[in-house]
């Protein structure tokens, strides 16, 4: 009786092992496939991103190869698709194609640009999907894991400096007020100089005298530099 039980168990173990082996063979014998590494990328834009003259910020995503290492460089394409979880879309600048070149590993980082969202009250969170463009003729990978074919891109800004004080000539904080300061001085809070207080106050006076509309703070009232 014991021999029969052992025989049955042996058959079951062999069957399970064979099933696992076949799954592994199926996974690694497939054509080359590519996946996004991670599920959500969050990019928080700060004052140093907005003081720059170029209108964009540089960001990155990581991809992973499914299966064996590549034997030669291979191209892939990425596109932007809407994400209904966000009311505000992200303006992303992608390359026409990317080339996977790190043949000694299954991970590689790639870069793209985010056009900085305009600073507006109540609109500081933006989102979309980055997705592999499988229909693009330049894309040389088959579809990988369904859940890794796209990744959420969450973009937001947080401009207020932690050291902002109402008592150094700038008054209460607002994003629009700080944007005006950076536009005039081309510097962020940490790099401002003592003379900049008077410079900014005079610049705003001249801005209004030139017939420009008042700049409104977060409370809807015109900003003041005190």
């Amino acid at each position: 009786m014991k021999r029969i039980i052992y025989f049955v168990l042996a058959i079951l173990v062999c069957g399970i092992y064979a099933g696992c082996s076949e799954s592994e063979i199926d996974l690694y014998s497939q054509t080359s496939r590519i996946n996004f590494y991670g599920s959500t990328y969050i990019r928080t834009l700060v004052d140093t991103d907005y003081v720059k003259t170029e209108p964009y910020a540089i960001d990155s995503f990581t991809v992973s190869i499914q299966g064996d290492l590549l034997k030669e460089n291979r191209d892939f394409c990425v596109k932007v698709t809407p994400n209904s979880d966000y009311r505000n879309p992200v303006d992303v600048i992608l390359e026409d194609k990317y080339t996977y070149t790190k043949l000694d590993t299954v991970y590689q980082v790639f870069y793209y640009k985010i056009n900085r969202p305009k600073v507006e009250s109540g609109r500081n969170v933006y989102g979309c999907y980055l997705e592999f463009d499988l229909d693009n003729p330049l894309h040389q990978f088959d579809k990988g894991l369904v859940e890794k074919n796209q990744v959420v891109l969450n973009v937001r800004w947080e401009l207020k400096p932690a050291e902002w004080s109402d008592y150094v000539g700038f008054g209460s904080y607002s994003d629009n007020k700080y944007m005006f300061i950076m536009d005039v001085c081309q510097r962020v809070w940490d790099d401002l100089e003592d003379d900049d207080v008077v410079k900014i106050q005079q610049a705003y006076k001249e801005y209004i005298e030139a017939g420009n509309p008042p700049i409104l703070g977060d409370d809807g009232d015109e900003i003041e530099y005190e």
Side-chain angles (χ1 to χ4, degrees):
M1 184 66 180
K2 288 184 178 179
R3 291 183 179 179
I4 296 175
I5 293 175
Y6 290 148
F7 181 71
V8 172
L9 289 175
I11 293 176
L12 289 174
V13 170
C14 291
I16 293 172
Y17 177 78
C20 293
S21 299
E22 288 177 3
S23 296
E24 292 175 0
I25 291 172
D26 287 344
L27 177 63
Y28 288 97
S29 65
Q30 292 173 346
T31 56
S32 296
R33 297 166 188 264
I34 196 168
N35 298 304
F36 281 108
Y37 182 75
S39 59
T40 302
Y41 294 147
I42 298 176
R43 175 58 190 270
T44 301
L45 302 174
V46 295
D47 52 5
T48 51
D49 291 305
Y50 276 88
V51 76
K52 298 174 183 177
T53 54
E54 64 268 17
Y56 55 80
I58 304 295
D59 204 39
S60 65
F61 59 84
T62 302
V63 301
S64 62
I65 301 300
Q66 180 177 318
D68 294 330
L69 297 175
L70 295 181
K71 293 182 173 56
E72 59 184 4
N73 294 348
R74 185 165 294 198
D75 298 331
F76 67 93
C77 301
V78 177
K79 63 181 179 180
V80 174
T81 55
N83 185 335
S84 59
D85 291 338
Y86 298 89
R87 294 179 59 188
N88 307 315
V90 184
D91 187 4
V92 176
I93 304 173
L94 296 162
E95 301 293 337
D96 291 336
K97 67 177 182 178
Y98 295 90
T99 303
Y100 197 101
T101 59
K102 296 201 171 188
L103 306 184
D104 59 342
T105 180
V106 294
Y107 294 97
Q108 187 170 345
V109 177
F110 297 90
Y111 297 91
Y112 63 99
K113 298 174 182 177
I114 299 171
N115 273 327
R116 296 176 314 206
K118 182 179 179 182
V119 175
E120 296 178 339
S121 298
R123 288 176 59 89
N124 69 325
V125 179
Y126 293 69
C128 67
Y129 287 112
L130 298 182
E131 183 176 322
F132 292 119
D133 191 357
L134 304 177
D135 296 326
N136 193 314
L138 300 178
H139 188 84
Q140 298 179 326
F141 289 88
D142 287 337
K143 187 174 184 178
L145 299 174
V146 173
E147 66 273 18
K148 298 293 184 180
N149 190 58
Q150 63 180 15
V151 64
V152 176
L153 175 59
N154 177 303
V155 177
R156 62 189 70 184
W157 73 75
E158 294 179 8
L159 302 182
K160 184 178 181 179
E163 302 82 8
W164 184 280
S165 171
D166 294 350
Y167 305 103
V168 293
F170 297 128
S172 59
Y173 177 84
S174 74
D175 284 338
N176 286 334
K177 176 182 286 189
Y178 190 30
M179 285 293 296
F180 185 80
I181 291 173
M182 289 192 288
D183 289 342
V184 170
C185 299
Q186 291 299 298
R187 290 191 289 273
V188 297
W189 176 267
D190 289 342
D191 299 328
L192 292 179
E193 301 174 355
D194 293 340
D195 294 343
D196 287 333
V197 174
V198 175
K199 179 179 180 180
I200 293 163
Q201 291 172 340
Q202 181 61 31
Y204 187 67
K205 179 182 177 182
E206 294 174 358
Y207 169 87
I208 293 298
E209 291 175 347
N212 293 300
I215 297 175
L216 304 182
D218 295 340
D219 56 5
D221 296 330
E222 182 179 0
I223 62 172
E224 296 180 354
Y225 293 104
E226 303 167 356

